[in-house]
Structure formats: structure tokens, C-alpha cells
Amino acid sequence: MAVEILKEKYRSKVGEVVLGATKEEGGTRSHTITVGGETSLPYLHFEGETPNRPVMALEVWDTAPTEWPPFFEKFYGDVWNDPGEWAKKCVDEFGADLIQLRLAGADPDINDASPEDCAGAVKKVLEAVGVPLIVIGCGKPEKDNLIYASVAEAAAGENLLLGVAELENYKAVNSACMANKHNIIASSPIDINICKQLNILIIEMSTAMANRIIIDPTVAALGYGAEYSFSIMERARNGALQGDKMLGMPMIGNIGSEVWRTKEAITPTEAEPGWGEQEERGILWEATTAMAYLQSGIDMLVMRHPEALKIIEKQIDDLMQDNSY
Amino acid sequence: MIIIGERINGMYNDIGKAIKGKDPKPVQEWARRQEQGGADYLDLNVGPASPNKIEAMKWLIEVTQEVSDLPLCLDSTNYDAIEEGLKLCKKPAMINSVPAEMPKMERVFPMAVQYGAEVVALAMNEEGIPKDADSRIALAAELVATADSLGFSPEMLYIDPLTLPCNVAQDHGPEVMRTLREIKLISDPSPKTVIGLSNISQGTQNRDLINRTFAVMAMANGLDAGIVDANDNELMSAIATARILLNKDIYCDSFVNVFINRNR
């Protein structure tokens, strides 16, 4: 009996976004990274194309983190007072495709770093590594709005991915991206309606931003509502493939920072012996969360633990194997 | 809903005159305006007055394609005019239309296959427009079966259940709604459906209100496409809203603008 393979035909595809710029393009990166471009649901190579494999960033902070579990020290302890060295280690030793620099030190409750300090940290990382850079603020909008312009200007030509823009606060970061030709992270609180509207508002400020947007739908960690993010990402991807241009952008998720604040990842072995060894548990928590989002179409994963990154690297290798009939 | 802009039709004075005097301006102006209004296709009809329908259709296609990339819907009962027109279309076009009459179906479906065109098919035959839903559905089934036997995919077929003005044929309304629902059950994949929206309000008061109310009701019953006034903003807003309420488009606060600008 003949079996006919069912192949979905889609009207549209996800847009491609290029991150970073080489010398010829006005930057100093050793290479650029392109994300997006899918013409099918995730890894259905038999009915469409996944021209660009998902990429992983490791987190680098501009200040030594104080609340990470103690075993992170063996990876980052010798470099986490220097964002440049830290970034270099992530790329050279741990194999990160790109670096996400979080300007945590700008937080008024941490170091209250000035816009100039923040620009300095960005420059340090740019000098230390050749990979494209993601830069995000401290998460406090009133302070972040003060630092976007100086960071964007200091890195003009580098084609950064800068964020985050939110519905209630997108103009300052978008202006900085428009003026210095950077890409933007459009972040929405697990709400596809807000996700779509924010993309519209960003593009209304400048149509040139249309292929410079990366959607951050907000990922939740395994066990903490991951299925909400999962289904929203699926819906966004279906919308994109069916021709909804306002959802036709690649997606990013902050996996590491979400996972490493769950009870399961931060509770020491002695406190919960039944859960098994903490570090292994945390690594698997991060990897499993990331694995699930690969299936809902995520293009960029921001990880924290080098071992979790390694597991997902292998997973991506496997998923990128051609499965066409 | 797929919007087929109705305005480039020789029955309108300005288009009739433009065709006669070979003045592309009014045609191109309406092509642009309908595109801006949110049309997906542009219907082209040379009207009853043109003496040479083939030449008039070719001219309409050429001048329209000079200013618009939208696919065209060639609206004529003269199949030679349609065939000559299909040769000129830059994008796969839509043939409007064929009734459930054997010689006409045998002329149109192979032609559509040859040019990769979609087809609007009318749920009527030599005996005219049926009164009830059952007869309309029977004709729709005949259209699907004949298309299929001639190698034409039902997915490319847009069945028009035929609407009549609500003042003189009020009892047809519910029959059309039932027809729209049941056409989807004829085959898998199912044929699409289309209506010539403005017919519903011929000779009535408050035509715009009737048109958009009917559009929303028909959409709720599964309507896929409409030959409509793409520059009726209230109509386009109602259609955008119905698409949201039917979960066809993902909601956002700018849903009306997103719908109107979706092809840009």
C-alpha cells in the first residue's frame, strides 16, 4: 500500500535577522550570525527549510553575580570581575555562539553604573571576543532608558542585538537602535497580542526596523508555566508561516536566568536529598527547558551553565539532520 | 477573507468611458485605491458596452499590471477574452466564472489547469438560480466532481452560492448560509467559497450596512472570499473584526490596520 507523505504548504516564512558586522561591514566582528528564515514548523526538513541553526549565547555580567549557586564559581570565578575575560572564556572554552552581556551593574541597587561605565563594559567585551553581541539592561526601565543611547553609540557599526523593548517602554531603546543601526529585542509578558502590537509600534517608528526585530515572548522555566510560553511560541510560528508579518520574526529566550532561580535548581543537595545532586539536577533543568523550546521554534537560547549548553549543542546537531523522505 | 476588489468594471461610468477612450488613468487610479484599501485580487470586467471584449480585456490587464502587482480576477462570460487575458497575467489569475453547465465547465477547467488559474464557479445551471440550499449544494457537488475529473483541484475552486437582493428574495438568505456551511463537506480538501457581496443590497436602503452585516454572517458560516468594495472602510473594518472573532488572525490592538495593510 502506497503511503503519501503529508506536507504542509505555507504561504510565508520567518524573516532572517543578521547579527554582528565584520570589518567590511563597518564592525569589528570576526563573523556575523543569521537567525530565522524557517519555512516550516521546527525541524520538519521534509516539508520546508531551516536555513539557520538555532544559536546559543552564554550570559556575561558587568559585575560579579552574587546569587548564583556556588558551583558556577569553578567555571566563571576567575573571570567574573572582568566581562572581557569572562566573555572570552565563554567563547573559547565553552563554545558559545554569541555573548549576552547583561548590564546588571547599572541597577541602582547593585553598582548604579553610569551610562559611560556601561558603554565601557560593552567595549571591553567587543575587544575581547569576535562573536556578535547581545546587550541587555539591568531590567529597571527608568535606568535602562538612560544607558541605551550611550551603549548603542559606543558600539555603532557592530550591529548589536539590544534590549529589551516592552509595550510600555520601547521608544528609548528603539531610537537608540534606529540611530546606530542595531537590532532590537521586543519583549512581551507571555502574551501574543502584546507581542504583535509591540512589533507594530516598533515598525511604526521606522520601517527599517522590520527585519531587525527578535521576539522575546518570555520563556518560563520547566515546571513554572513553560507550557504557556511553549504554546505562544507555537502560535506565533504558525502565524508567521501563514503570512502574519507582524509575527514573522525569530525568537529568543532567556533560559539560563529563568531556570537558575527555580527551587529545583537552587536548592542544595543536603536540603533535598530526594531530588538528587544539585548541580546535575540544575544542568538538566536548564537543558530540558531549552530542549522543549527548540520544539516550539526558538532561534536563540541564552544559557548559563556550560554543561547545559553542551547538551543542547548536541541536541541541535541531531535536530538539524535532514529528515526528508 | 480574501478580498476581490470589484471596482474596475465597465458597468461603472468612469471605467466604461476609460475603456472606450483607452484612457488608463481611471483604471489605474482604482487599481491603486483598491490595493490601498486592502484588496488581495482586482476584479476586471469590461462591461456590457465594449464592442470587442477580447481587446478590451487585454487592455484592462495591461494597464492594471502597470501599477499593481495584485493578482487579477478576470470577470467575463466570454471565455476567449479570458483565455487571451490569462496569457498576459503576470501572476496566476482567477477566472470569474463558470456555472454548472457541462460545455462551459469543459471549456473553463482545462483552461484553468493550463494557466494555473483559480476558478469562481456558480451554483446554478441552465435552469437559473436554485431556490433552496439542497439544490445549490447539489450543483456545487457537480462542480467539484467535474473539476476533479478534469484534473482541477477543488482547493482552487471558489463556489459562489449566489446571493439575491434581500428586498425581493429575502428567503434566500438562510439558504445561502446553509449552502456555505455544507459546501465544506463536499470534498476533502474542500472547495473555497465566494460571494458577490453587493448583490445582497441591490435596490435597498442603507446598502453599506446590509453589505457588511451580510459579510460578517457569511464569514461565520465559512465564507472564504468576497467580490466587494475594498474602499468601504466600514466593511473592511467589519471583515477584519470578524476574522479576529473567528480566530483567523491573531488579535492585536491595531487589528484593523494590520488587516488592511497585510499585503504591503
Side-chain angles (χ1 to χ4, degrees):
Chain A
M1 202 176 80
V3 175
E4 200 191 330
I5 303 304
L6 207 57
K7 294 180 186 175
E8 197 68 48
K9 282 185 225 104
Y10 290 108
R11 287 175 49 202
S12 194
K13 59 178 205 165
V14 181
E16 286 189 334
V17 176
V18 179
L19 305 171
T22 59
K23 210 169 164 188
E24 294 75 44
E25 296 151 340
T28 62
R29 304 299 80 206
S30 60
H31 60 280
T32 61
I33 287 178
T34 305
V35 290
E38 297 93 336
T39 65
S40 72
L41 293 179
Y43 314 107
L44 302 190
H45 305 292
F46 63 87
E47 67 178 21
E49 286 178 16
T50 307
N52 305 296
R53 60 182 277 144
V55 290
M56 282 184 287
L58 280 173
E59 276 181 76
V60 170
W61 289 21
D62 63 342
T63 179
T66 52
E67 288 174 357
W68 293 15
F71 43 79
F72 276 102
E73 206 174 327
K74 65 177 179 280
F75 299 104
Y76 304 124
D78 54 336
V79 291
W80 65 23
N81 285 308
D82 183 329
E85 289 302 310
W86 185 352
K88 204 165 150 46
K89 197 167 186 189
C90 288
V91 174
D92 296 347
E93 273 183 47
F94 305 140
D97 298 306
L98 62 182
I99 293 296
Q100 172 171 294
L101 176 62
R102 178 195 292 263
L103 297 168
D107 189 323
D109 298 330
I110 299 181
N111 300 339
D112 202 16
S114 68
E116 293 71 33
D117 296 339
C118 293
V122 172
K123 286 223 142 179
K124 244 182 185 173
V125 176
L126 285 169
E127 278 159 24
V129 294
V131 300
L133 206 57
I134 308 167
V135 180
I136 62 171
C138 66
K140 296 203 169 142
E142 58 286 1
K143 180 65 188 285
D144 284 343
N145 285 342
L146 300 175
I147 64 181
Y148 290 132
S150 60
V151 165
E153 209 180 310
E158 299 286 6
N159 198 20
L160 298 180
L161 176 56
L162 190 59
V164 296
E166 294 175 301
L167 188 67
E168 307 303 328
N169 188 46
Y170 65 94
K171 288 184 178 160
V173 61
N174 199 34
S175 300
C177 289
M178 283 157 53
N180 297 285
K181 294 201 169 68
H182 296 303
N183 306 287
I184 194 166
I185 301 174
S187 182
S188 43
I190 317 191
D191 183 326
I192 196 159
N193 306 137
I194 290 176
C195 169
K196 185 168 170 179
Q197 186 67 20
L198 175 58
N199 294 338
I200 293 166
L201 294 172
I202 288 171
I203 294 167
E204 271 177 9
M205 275 179 78
S206 162
T207 51
M209 292 304 291
N211 53 3
R212 287 185 168 277
I213 297 174
I214 302 283
I215 292 173
D216 168 18
T218 304
V219 294
L222 175 66
Y224 292 84
E227 56 275 31
Y228 292 97
S229 322
F230 186 93
S231 60
I232 277 186
M233 290 168 81
E234 281 187 311
R235 192 143 180 254
R237 186 49 43 92
N238 270 309
L241 295 174
Q242 282 156 19
D244 191 334
K245 289 184 196 122
M246 294 304 147
L247 292 168
M249 295 86 174
M251 297 185 281
I252 192 172
N254 274 304
I255 311 284
S257 58
E258 281 300 315
V259 165
W260 290 101
R261 59 198 190 94
T262 65
K263 200 165 63 193
E264 289 78 359
I266 61 174
T267 304
T269 316
E270 317 75 72
E272 280 288 356
W275 290 357
E277 200 269 320
Q278 186 197 353
E279 184 170 11
E280 189 189 4
R281 184 202 316 143
I283 292 168
L284 291 176
W285 216 267
E286 185 174 1
T288 309
T289 303
M291 235 175 244
Y293 289 124
L294 286 172
Q295 298 296 339
S296 61
I298 202 165
D299 300 274
M300 302 182 70
L301 306 106
V302 185
M303 310 290 286
R304 184 172 290 178
H305 200 294
E307 293 297 325
L309 180 136
K310 211 182 281 174
I311 293 170
I312 296 304
E313 190 69 45
K314 170 75 171 66
Q315 175 82 4
I316 294 171
D317 284 344
D318 290 348
L319 288 170
M320 289 302 290
Q321 294 292 319
D322 188 14
N323 59 13
S324 47
Y325 293 90
Chain B
M1 186 160 85
I2 297 164
I3 305 295
I4 304 164
E6 68 181 8
R7 189 55 176 73
I8 304 178
N9 187 320
M11 289 215 295
Y12 290 100
N13 265 337
D14 56 348
I15 301 294
K17 261 192 233 161
I19 295 172
K20 234 176 260 167
K22 295 234 165 182
D23 172 14
K25 264 185 227 144
V27 175
Q28 294 180 337
E29 171 66 15
W30 277 113
R32 279 194 210 99
R33 280 178 64 176
Q34 293 185 98
E35 189 168 345
Q36 277 164 13
D40 295 292
Y41 290 76
L42 298 175
D43 192 77
L44 301 183
N45 185 324
V46 299
S50 306
N52 186 334
K53 302 224 183 299
I54 297 180
E55 285 314 307
M57 181 60 89
K58 284 165 74 174
W59 180 80
L60 266 188
I61 292 168
E62 277 166 359
V63 300
T64 303
Q65 289 190 147
E66 277 172 25
V67 298
S68 173
D69 292 330
L70 289 182
L72 305 175
C73 176
L74 308 185
D75 186 352
S76 177
T77 49
N78 182 328
Y79 296 134
D80 293 332
I82 286 186
E83 180 149 26
E84 287 308 306
L86 287 172
K87 293 177 185 168
L88 296 176
C89 289
K90 291 180 190 160
K91 285 193 177 160
M94 194 181 277
I95 297 171
N96 183 10
S97 57
V98 62
E101 296 171 25
M102 202 37 105
K104 293 181 180 172
M105 290 191 284
E106 284 173 335
R107 171 84 171 94
V108 168
F109 287 126
M111 174 162 78
V113 171
Q114 187 185 345
Y115 293 95
E118 298 170 304
V119 174
V120 173
L122 311 176
M124 65 178 287
N125 57 15
E126 297 88 342
E127 290 164 31
I129 298 178
K131 271 214 161 65
D132 56 19
D134 288 338
S135 316
R136 282 175 161 96
I137 294 158
L139 289 169
E142 208 175 309
L143 285 159
V144 170
T146 309
D148 192 47
S149 72
L150 294 167
F152 184 83
S153 165
E155 280 176 288
M156 305 271 280
L157 197 59
Y158 290 74
I159 293 178
D160 183 346
L162 293 166
T163 52
L164 292 171
C166 65
N167 53 350
V168 294
Q170 210 171 344
D171 54 338
H172 280 249
E175 301 297 323
V176 166
M177 296 300 161
R178 187 153 84 80
T179 309
L180 286 172
R181 288 197 299 276
E182 297 202 8
I183 282 175
K184 291 293 170 192
L185 308 176
I186 291 176
S187 64
D188 183 15
S190 60
K192 296 193 174 79
T193 50
V194 64
I195 51 172
L197 186 68
S198 310
N199 280 348
I200 193 71
S201 62
Q202 290 279 356
T204 68
Q205 285 296 305
N206 243 328
R207 291 196 64 180
D208 294 349
L209 176 63
I210 291 174
N211 288 347
R212 67 178 178 264
T213 305
F214 183 63
V216 168
M217 292 170 70
M219 288 172 76
N221 283 284
L223 181 69
D224 297 298
I227 303 171
V228 306
D229 176 357
N231 296 100
D232 177 345
N233 279 333
E234 296 287 334
L235 170 66
M236 294 298 278
S237 304
I239 290 170
T241 310
R243 284 188 61 85
I244 295 292
L245 299 178
L246 290 164
N247 195 22
K248 299 263 187 199
D249 290 329
I250 293 174
Y251 173 84
C252 67
D253 292 348
S254 306
F255 65 93
V256 171
N257 281 337
V258 167
F259 178 70
I260 287 171
N261 295 322
R262 70 200 176 286
N263 292 324
R264 297 218 184 140

